[in-house]
Amino acid sequence: MRWLVCFLLPIVRLYLVGFKVLLYQLFNRSFALPVLPRQNGRVAIVTGGARGMGFETSRHLASLGMHVVIAGNEEDEGLAAVKKIQEETDQGKAEFMYLDLASLKSVRQFVQRFKAKGLPLHVLINNAGVMLVPERKTEDGFELHFGLNYLGHFLLTNLLLDTLRKSGQSGQCSRIINVSSATHYGGRLDLSDLQGGSCYCAHGAYSQSKLALVLFTYHLQERLWARADPVTANAVDPGMVDTALYENLSSPAKLAKKPVARLLFRTPAEGASTAIYAAAASEVEGAGGLYLYNGRKTESSVISYDEQLQARLWMKSCALVGLQKA
Ligand SMILES: NC(=O)c1ccc[n+]([C@@H]2O[C@H](COP(=O)([O-])OP(=O)(O)OC[C@H]3O[C@@H](n4cnc5c(N)ncnc54)[C@H](OP(=O)(O)O)[C@@H]3O)[C@@H](O)[C@H]2O)c1
Ligand SMILES: *[C@@H]1O[C@H](CO)[C@@H](O)[C@H](O)[C@H]1NC(C)=O
Ligand SMILES: *[C@@H]1O[C@H](CO)[C@@H](O)[C@H](O)[C@H]1NC(C)=O
Ligand SMILES: *[C@@H]1O[C@H](CO)[C@@H](O)[C@H](O)[C@H]1NC(C)=O
């Protein structure tokens, strides 16, 4: 019975959600970006911006004239991505900065180095993520999906909030975008067992980390609005996209995925389009607390709207990363 709840249910839920997404993608084309306003003089940070959707997002924002900071934990890959973007763009700018989201120390150091540059910050895209990693811990001892996909971004966002506030103004808010996933629909969140200590399942851990991101987005937006800050926060769902994210699927699942991916998965550029839209489209100006899928506002899971759970997760997260609850 315990085995069923711990391992089988999360897997079944994840695959059911995946199946629904594929059905949607079978019958619906990927959303086409509208013409976006130029972004000259604006600065963005994209976590995991060196490859996959993060790279496509960075590249597109730079082509609009933005200064994009690619934050990643593989220097060679990051520098190659920067080079490629620099070759393509004339007005935009790209640079790489080292950030390991699986280390709270690295997050703090990254923010220090970024602030030392004296740049403003208009867009923060929390895109980096891992999926289905065999049970592993971050440097600080957190379960990897929870620690990297969620907590690392939690600390990063909170430490950058003052810069985002200063850089926004009414009519041109700074924007925070969290890349979540449809898997959050199958996610469960147990505040007393966030690390999967009692029973670890990689499928459940991934779904939970993506649910936590949505809960956070909503709560953060409430806080920002309460202070009338010129900053908005939205979550985006890219759909199922053919990237290296699937490298840790089991071998039979990988085999089955191959033909399906060729037919039905989105390309990284298509997958990135909703995040790009949330970052740069005039249609989204001033809008916050949304869950965007295929360029449209969509309902996220019922649990994600639970305000009590949002607030409790926030308090707990502050304690885990050592932030004042203010
Ligand atoms: N692909 C899909 O179907 C799908 C569906 C829903 C949601 N998503 C979400 O979309 C986002 C982008 O994923 P993707 O599909 O583009 O996958 P990807 O190609 O695997 O990209 C993941 C990115 O995360 C970065 N990353 C991993 N560990 C990191 C760490 N410790 N510190 C900093 N960065 C780290 C990687 O950077 P390095 O190379 O520098 O390690 C990489 O750039 C993820 O949040 C994912 O959960 C994807
Ligand atoms: C296609 O998109 C429309 C509009 O978002 C949605 O109502 C419909 O359910 C989608 N089709 C499938 C098969 O999911
Ligand atoms: C796959 O698992 C390895 C650890 O076994 C991890 O380092 C890597 O980041 C994982 N890949 C993804 C895309 O999650
Ligand atoms: C994004 O998620 C982080 C947690 O990973 C959270 O701290 C932050 O409030 C969220 N921001 C937005 C805009 O969703």
Side-chain angles (χ1 to χ4, degrees):
M1 197 51 208
R2 213 178 92 89
W3 176 84
L4 192 80
V5 174
C6 283
F7 301 102
L8 204 58
L9 269 182
I11 296 179
V12 170
R13 280 199 294 256
L14 192 84
Y15 278 91
L16 272 178
V17 170
F19 182 73
K20 256 178 86 173
V21 174
L22 286 178
L23 204 65
Y24 177 95
Q25 292 187 177
L26 177 63
F27 290 105
N28 285 281
R29 292 159 82 65
S30 171
F31 144 79
L33 276 172
V35 176
L36 299 170
R38 298 286 312 168
Q39 303 285 322
N40 296 41
R42 290 169 66 78
V43 179
I45 293 177
V46 181
T47 69
R51 69 163 201 237
M53 286 186 265
F55 174 69
E56 294 298 333
T57 306
S58 304
R59 169 193 224 175
H60 199 113
L61 294 179
S63 79
L64 292 171
M66 263 196 166
H67 175 167
V68 179
V69 175
I70 292 180
N73 67 334
E74 302 224 3
E75 183 148 20
D76 293 347
E77 195 185 47
L79 293 176
V82 165
K83 187 152 170 272
K84 199 157 169 213
I85 294 175
Q86 296 282 34
E87 280 166 6
E88 285 175 5
T89 171
D90 38 2
Q91 282 169 338
K93 182 178 167 188
E95 67 176 304
F96 173 79
M97 284 180 66
Y98 181 82
L99 165 66
D100 178 6
L101 282 160
S103 153
L104 297 179
K105 189 168 136 214
S106 173
V107 172
R108 290 180 185 280
Q109 286 172 346
F110 169 86
V111 172
Q112 244 172 24
R113 277 182 285 120
F114 178 79
K115 288 188 174 174
K117 290 174 181 278
L119 290 172
L121 180 62
H122 303 97
V123 170
L124 169 63
I125 303 192
N126 291 323
N127 161 82
V130 291
M131 182 169 81
L132 307 187
V133 183
E135 183 162 15
R136 261 181 48 184
K137 297 235 183 297
T138 68
E139 193 180 285
D140 310 281
F142 301 115
E143 185 280 313
L144 191 66
H145 295 87
F146 178 76
L148 193 164
N149 297 1
Y150 170 72
L151 262 192
H153 283 129
F154 174 84
L155 181 62
L156 179 70
T157 306
N158 275 291
L159 295 179
L160 289 170
L161 262 187
D162 54 344
T163 311
L164 285 157
R165 280 190 185 113
K166 271 188 273 169
S167 312
Q169 53 193 51
S170 96
Q172 198 158 46
C173 291
S174 302
R175 303 182 184 192
I176 306 169
I177 291 131
N178 279 337
V179 181
S180 182
S181 155
T183 57
H184 95 272
Y185 288 108
R188 297 288 181 275
L189 193 102
D190 178 357
L191 281 175
S192 60
D193 186 24
L194 286 170
Q195 323 270 354
S198 68
C199 69
Y200 178 76
C201 162
H203 293 71
Y206 180 72
S207 306
Q208 172 182 268
S209 72
K210 292 299 178 180
L211 172 61
L213 275 170
V214 182
L215 284 159
F216 241 102
T217 304
Y218 296 160
H219 189 72
L220 176 65
Q221 185 63 71
E222 288 307 320
R223 287 179 162 251
L224 292 165
W225 273 332
R227 301 178 28 139
D229 279 330
V231 184
T232 57
N234 293 299
V236 301
D237 174 354
M240 280 178 97
V241 186
D242 205 6
T243 65
L245 193 69
Y246 293 86
E247 71 186 3
N248 288 327
L249 280 183
S250 64
S251 320
K254 243 189 210 156
L255 218 72
K257 180 212 143 230
K258 230 181 178 164
V260 178
R262 194 153 350 114
L263 280 173
L264 292 177
F265 277 33
R266 305 289 199 218
T267 65
E270 287 172 339
S273 60
T274 300
I276 297 165
Y277 179 72
S282 344
E283 290 85 340
V284 189
E285 179 54 43
L290 304 181
Y291 185 83
L292 297 169
Y293 173 51
N294 218 18
R296 272 191 247 201
K297 178 184 173 347
T298 308
E299 294 271 303
S300 54
S301 71
V302 175
I303 324 174
S304 69
Y305 294 104
D306 180 340
E307 288 176 11
Q308 241 188 2
L309 185 62
Q310 292 166 10
R312 284 166 60 210
L313 177 64
W314 178 282
M315 302 284 270
K316 181 119 194 185
S317 307
C318 284
L320 290 175
V321 301
L323 276 180
Q324 297 289 2
K325 291 180 180 65

